[in-house]
Amino acid sequence: MLTKTQVKEALHIIEDMYPEAECELIHSNPFELLIAVVLSAQCTDSLVNKVTPGLFAKYHAPDDFAAVKQEELEQDIRSIGLYRNKAKNIKKLSESLIEQFNGEVPETREELMSLAGVGRKTANVVASVAFHTPAIAVDTHVERVSKRLGICRWKDNVREVEETLMKKVPEEEWAQTHHRLIFFGRYHCKAKDPQCPSCPLLDMCREGQKRMRQREVKHG
């Protein structure tokens, strides 16, 4: 496991690699962000970004999503995985926003998590990006990088990964750390082909060193 000092050092290196890291989901307000994050579950941001411009041109507010027939909404997001379930959740959460929050996206994680299709990760992203609330959302990239680097344990569940990061990273850096770890995982420390040989973190990465040893044995 990395010490707090090593975690700080690793995050500084990742910051140097991806100084512009930010939310890549295209949106112009908290409601659009909420819809985009719900759509992005088990799906790439780039695919969501192909669908949302047309979607947000057609539907501007919770009222529009609440009013449309579910079948029509399904067709509008058909190219995205789990589109039936997501269409149902978007309609339900839009109705909840109208009935419980005057059509506005709530700012707290607890209120966000009361909405259909919104789990802790989605709520953290919306609270952090839209309302600048300190939060670390743990998606597949954040979890993979944290475990490979040894910031947390392999056996940790998503909530434990989040809590470990919150302990080891200063609160004012939570939001940016989330984005930087995503960029690092998405573009460098990829699931299937991590760039270990060229990685500036190799000397402190247990998984990278193990992979390099296996490589040497294989090619030795």
Side-chain angles (χ1 to χ4, degrees), residues 143-182:
E143 182 180 6
R144 180 173 69 252
V145 170
S146 298
K147 289 182 175 180
R148 280 181 175 172
L149 273 173
I151 295 173
C152 58
R153 300 169 304 178
W154 281 114
K155 64 179 182 179
D156 285 352
N157 60 35
V158 171
R159 184 69 182 270
E160 288 168 331
V161 172
E162 181 187 334
E163 285 168 359
T164 301
L165 286 167
M166 286 164 72
K167 280 188 203 129
K168 292 187 177 179
V169 178
E171 189 173 327
E172 64 274 13
E173 291 175 26
W174 287 355
Q176 273 311 113
T177 295
H178 157 76
H179 295 307
R180 287 168 191 151
L181 289 175
I182 286 177

Side-chain angles (χ1 to χ4, degrees), residues 57-76:
K58 182 174 176 180
Y59 307 100
H60 305 286
D63 297 16
D64 302 319
F65 283 105
V68 71
K69 281 197 167 72
Q70 187 173 320
E71 292 74 17
E72 186 178 341
L73 181 55
E74 285 177 7
Q75 293 309 308
D76 291 329

